[in-house]
Amino acid sequence: MTELVFQRHRRLRKTAGIRAMVKETYLHKEDLIYPIFVMDGENIKNAVASMPGVFQFSLDRLGEEIDEVVSLGIPSVILFGLPAEKDAVGTQAYHDHGIVQKAIRFIKERHPHLVVIADTCLCEFTDHGHCGVVDADERILNDPSLDLLAKTAISQAEAGADIIAPSNMMDGFVTAIRHGLDAAGFADVPIMSYAVKYASAYYGPFREAADGAPKFGDRKTYQMDYSNRMEAIREASSDIEEGADMLIVKPALSYLDIIRDVKNNFDLPIVAYNVSGEYAMVKAAAINGWINEKETVLETLTGMKRAGADIILTYHAKDVARWLEEK
């Protein structure tokens, strides 16, 4: 019989102990950012139908959610706001007593060491649902939008936000916000830029949760075409030049190649946004008994880390924190 020559790779998979010794990628609680939806009103805890386990909270009910996040050891949250009133220029986004500003103050008073990230956009606050100023011809105007975005970021920093996370995808939004923050005395507040944000069908459940769907057209004139890869490098490069401190790639699951590209090309921390549609698909399949939710989520998020993400923004954060504690 001919002697076979081959490698015995299975030697390093023989036992759980050996597998742990050679494990390359780890998922930690410290990697997680948990999204929270806050809204004007009283005694509100509304379930988001398309996102089982996710809720909208009024300020008087927010404490119970924040206390749980802290008890689980999750180090940071990102806030999205649902105002009582909307207008054409998203006034409540940058009002001193807007819902996000009030929520930031509430959280920082209750848990000063929790890292509070403010999503900086206009879509949840405008009556047309777009991320910038709109003219009479329904065009989203880039440059007039920058002033409002800078005002929003400054008001969030004044409220106590630790990190500003602009998600609007207007050209020049990072430099406008950086200059605004610096001039207002917030030079030490970092920007976690949604640098690489695609026009994706995976955002559907989020638009229900944040009440931010556009009332006309779509967002393809400012969010990226999902067919494009090199464009991601151009977008990230511009944001770094303009002063970004961290880079978000959104969505994550269908864009692992983009996460790796961005990681390979830039030395800033990379954030993978595990978006609402990705969350909803896993939840729906788990509820129907088609998949093992725990193992699927841990595998998925570990894949994002393996692709190059340093941080993961995910609606699964609370469950993941519990599972990691069990392990």
Side-chain angles (χ1 to χ4, degrees), residues 11-250:
R11 289 171 181 158
L12 299 184
R13 305 173 195 148
K14 185 177 178 181
T15 68
I18 294 174
R19 291 193 297 272
M21 289 176 66
V22 300
K23 186 174 182 178
E24 300 175 22
T25 306
Y26 286 86
L27 187 64
H28 303 287
K29 291 182 183 181
E30 290 77 13
D31 302 329
L32 304 174
I33 300 171
Y34 184 57
I36 295 179
F37 299 94
V38 291
M39 64 188 307
D40 281 312
E42 295 181 355
N43 194 30
I44 297 171
K45 183 180 178 182
N46 291 337
V48 179
S50 57
M51 300 175 68
V54 174
F55 300 87
Q56 302 162 333
F57 292 92
S58 56
L59 207 60
D60 58 333
R61 297 290 300 274
L62 182 59
E64 59 195 74
E65 180 79 338
I66 294 299
D67 291 349
E68 183 181 19
V69 167
V70 171
S71 72
L72 289 170
I74 297 169
S76 59
V77 296
I78 185 167
L79 299 179
F80 300 94
L82 290 80
E85 298 178 359
K86 301 187 179 190
D87 59 31
V89 292
T91 303
Q92 290 299 311
Y94 44 86
H95 196 286
D96 288 346
H97 297 288
I99 183 59
V100 169
Q101 287 78 1
K102 289 190 289 187
I104 293 168
R105 294 187 185 99
F106 175 86
I107 294 170
K108 296 305 289 185
E109 289 175 5
R110 195 177 185 99
H111 293 289
H113 299 295
L114 184 67
V115 176
V116 177
I117 305 166
D119 179 81
T120 305
C121 197
L122 302 176
C123 60
E124 298 137 57
F125 303 91
T126 55
D127 52 16
H128 47 73
H130 279 284
C131 303
V133 176
V134 174
D135 70 6
D137 297 320
E138 297 187 342
R139 294 177 302 178
I140 295 84
L141 304 179
N142 194 92
D143 295 8
S145 302
L146 299 181
D147 291 338
L148 300 184
L149 293 165
K151 286 178 63 176
T152 301
I154 293 166
S155 72
Q156 293 168 338
E158 287 174 340
D162 297 292
I163 299 173
I164 298 300
S167 59
N168 53 88
M169 289 299 284
M170 296 294 113
D171 289 337
F173 70 93
V174 173
T175 192
I177 289 171
R178 184 72 274 160
H179 279 83
L181 290 172
D182 292 354
F186 297 107
D188 292 334
V189 174
I191 295 175
M192 178 187 287
S193 172
Y194 285 68
V196 181
K197 182 178 179 181
Y198 287 88
S200 172
Y202 285 98
Y203 302 153
F206 174 88
R207 290 174 181 168
E208 175 195 353
D211 189 26
K215 298 298 187 292
F216 63 86
D218 54 40
R219 294 177 177 153
K220 293 181 179 179
T221 65
Y222 46 104
Q223 295 178 1
M224 294 167 54
D225 185 336
Y226 61 72
S227 304
N228 294 351
R229 181 177 181 182
M230 295 309 299
E231 186 180 8
I233 304 302
R234 297 196 298 272
E235 287 279 358
S237 179
S238 295
D239 285 8
I240 292 172
E241 291 174 4
E242 294 174 14
D245 301 283
M246 291 176 271
L247 305 173
I248 297 177
V249 177
K250 180 185 182 185

